[in-house]
Amino acid sequence: MEWTKTEKRQLAIFFAIAFGVPYLMGIAMAFAQRAGADTSAFANAQMFYPAAGAMLALLVTRRGDQTLPRRFYFGFLVLTALMGVTALGTVTVPALAVTVSTWIMVVGSLVCWVLYFVDGKARRTAGGLRLTGTGGKGLVTTVLLFLALYLGRFVILILFTKLVDPTATMEEMGFSSNWVYSLLLFTSLPLSFVLAFAPFFGEEYGWRAFLQPLLQKRFGPRRGVLLLGVLWGFWHLPLNVFYYSPATWVQSLVNQVLLCVCLASFLGYAQHKTRTVWVPVVVHFLNNNLIAVFAGSANVIENQVIGWTDVIVSCVLMAALYLPSLASRVWKRPLPCLPLDVPEDAAAPAGPGEAKQPPQYGPQP
């Protein structure tokens, strides 16, 4: 099925922000990295750009549409701008920029929670922001399935390593020996999600809620999600070069693309099954933060040295665990493109001085 003229405009705006901004920021990131500065503020800011691109695309192409969650959108866009400006400060004041970026993310996340509820149920529905009442199912079981697959990956890696080298210790495999500290990190995850959900929402709202339905409309449910995985992988290029693995960035990029294809398959499955972006957001949050739980530090993702053998082993394992989700029946039911339809009895009320008009839903030509 072809995209409408409005959808083509939306995609142009989305890609300009989601890909254009991080690639341009990569120039500043290069200066910061070569100066020996911590580039994590750039990594945090980059996670906001996909959602910002989706929100701007909807606001521009549906100007005046009062059914959109405009307060939440504007709040998130301001937060994104602040994160981007602070990341640029890494070039001149690296230590301060990283600290300020963290506080902006926390305070901004709390403000966005407030705006999320202030916008009301009807606007949350139109924006694809609802947790329940979406027609989906299996919210908890989908998250538990991901946790089982995630833990299974570690078990397989440990057994494989022990088979190759029986003398290998857990520390040599990258696991923390301080189980008390790891347990504290694990129990603090719910609070961490509340205080810092915004960057994970930033990716998932852009990729899964906005872009995935559009790609699936044009290329089909499975091919669309696989294409999304490839695009998502190349989106990481500035991070591969200047954050994750500067010394072996080619291997890192290849590994990233293959991993994103596998993970996008499961996240796409989660979006289809539950019909809410919040399950992919939670899964993405767990995928990133459980690394710190098991390793005892989030710094393990920086300055990695990746060999081709690591790429092959990792991708075979990820493919075996996550690609089977493509065989699920949930893909038969297409995802609707944003904005979503709002029942008439739940339509957002007109603001002061506005005449209440019957809202128009769905993509417009």
Side-chain angles (χ1 to χ4, degrees):
M1 187 180 298
E2 295 294 329
W3 290 314
T4 66
K5 187 180 297 184
T6 297
E7 288 170 342
K8 290 178 181 178
R9 286 184 62 203
Q10 290 175 348
L11 285 167
I13 295 170
F14 172 79
F15 280 107
I17 302 299
F19 279 83
V21 174
Y23 274 58
L24 287 174
M25 293 286 275
I27 299 172
M29 200 175 185
F31 284 107
Q33 191 264 339
R34 290 172 183 172
D38 183 350
T39 55
S40 60
F42 286 97
N44 290 334
Q46 184 164 326
M47 297 177 73
F48 286 77
Y49 303 144
M55 292 172 182
L56 281 173
L58 291 169
L59 289 171
V60 170
T61 59
R62 300 182 66 86
R63 194 172 302 163
D65 185 347
Q66 297 301 314
T67 66
L68 291 174
R70 303 173 73 87
R71 296 181 184 88
F72 180 79
Y73 279 7
F74 284 127
F76 192 90
L77 289 171
V78 170
L79 176 57
T80 302
L82 291 174
M83 291 293 295
V85 170
T86 305
L88 289 173
T90 302
V91 178
T92 54
V93 282
L96 180 61
V98 172
T99 301
V100 171
S101 174
T102 301
W103 279 105
I104 288 176
M105 181 171 58
V106 170
V107 175
S109 292
L110 293 175
V111 171
C112 283
W113 279 123
V114 174
L115 297 175
Y116 171 82
F117 289 104
V118 167
D119 264 326
K121 183 184 294 186
R123 293 188 177 93
R124 290 198 297 272
T125 299
L129 299 173
R130 293 280 300 279
L131 174 63
T132 58
T134 60
K137 59 182 180 179
L139 280 70
V140 175
T141 56
T142 303
V143 174
L144 292 177
L145 174 60
F146 170 77
L147 286 174
L149 294 173
Y150 190 93
L151 294 175
R153 180 170 46 144
F154 281 127
V155 170
I156 294 172
L157 284 173
I158 291 170
L159 293 175
F160 178 78
T161 304
K162 280 291 187 179
L163 183 64
V164 174
D165 181 8
T167 64
T169 65
M170 295 296 286
E171 289 80 5
E172 290 172 339
M173 289 184 241
F175 293 92
S176 172
S177 59
N178 190 343
W179 293 103
V180 174
Y181 180 67
S182 293
L183 181 60
L184 288 174
L185 286 177
F186 181 77
T187 55
S188 69
L189 286 179
L191 178 61
S192 298
F193 179 79
V194 172
L195 296 177
F197 85 96
F200 305 97
F201 175 86
E203 284 205 48
E204 293 308 311
Y205 192 72
W207 302 130
R208 245 58 62 182
F210 175 80
L211 184 59
Q212 180 174 309
L214 286 170
L215 291 181
Q216 291 178 317
K217 176 182 178 180
R218 179 67 177 82
F219 301 103
R222 292 176 177 83
R223 285 185 296 174
V225 82
L226 291 175
L227 175 58
L228 172 56
V230 173
L231 293 172
W232 187 25
F234 279 103
W235 172 82
H236 287 85
L237 177 59
L239 302 180
N240 296 119
V241 178
F242 304 117
Y243 181 63
Y244 292 145
S245 185
T248 54
W249 69 266
V250 175
Q251 293 94 319
S252 178
L253 178 61
V254 173
N255 186 63
Q256 189 80 60
V257 172
L258 295 174
L259 293 185
C260 282
V261 168
C262 296
L263 196 54
S265 301
F266 184 85
L267 290 168
Y269 158 81
Q271 180 79 358
H272 270 266
K273 184 177 179 64
T274 65
R275 299 280 152 165
T276 173
V277 73
W278 289 105
V279 169
V281 171
V282 170
V283 168
H284 196 150
F285 170 83
L286 291 173
N287 182 72
N288 288 29
N289 284 274
L290 285 175
I291 296 173
V293 170
F294 288 107
S297 171
N299 294 332
V300 293
I301 65 174
E302 301 179 46
N303 300 311
Q304 303 173 68
V305 176
I306 301 175
W308 288 112
T309 301
D310 301 319
V311 174
I312 294 172
V313 171
S314 176
C315 292
V316 167
L317 186 54
M318 291 285 286
L321 290 172
Y322 295 122
L323 288 185
S325 60
L326 291 173
S328 172
R329 295 179 179 179
V330 301
W331 300 96
K332 294 182 179 180
R333 183 183 172 197
L335 286 173
C337 298
L338 296 179
L340 306 183
D341 289 342
V342 180
E344 288 187 13
D345 57 354
E354 297 176 356
K356 187 170 182 178
Q357 300 292 333
Q360 300 296 317
Y361 302 110
Q364 301 298 306

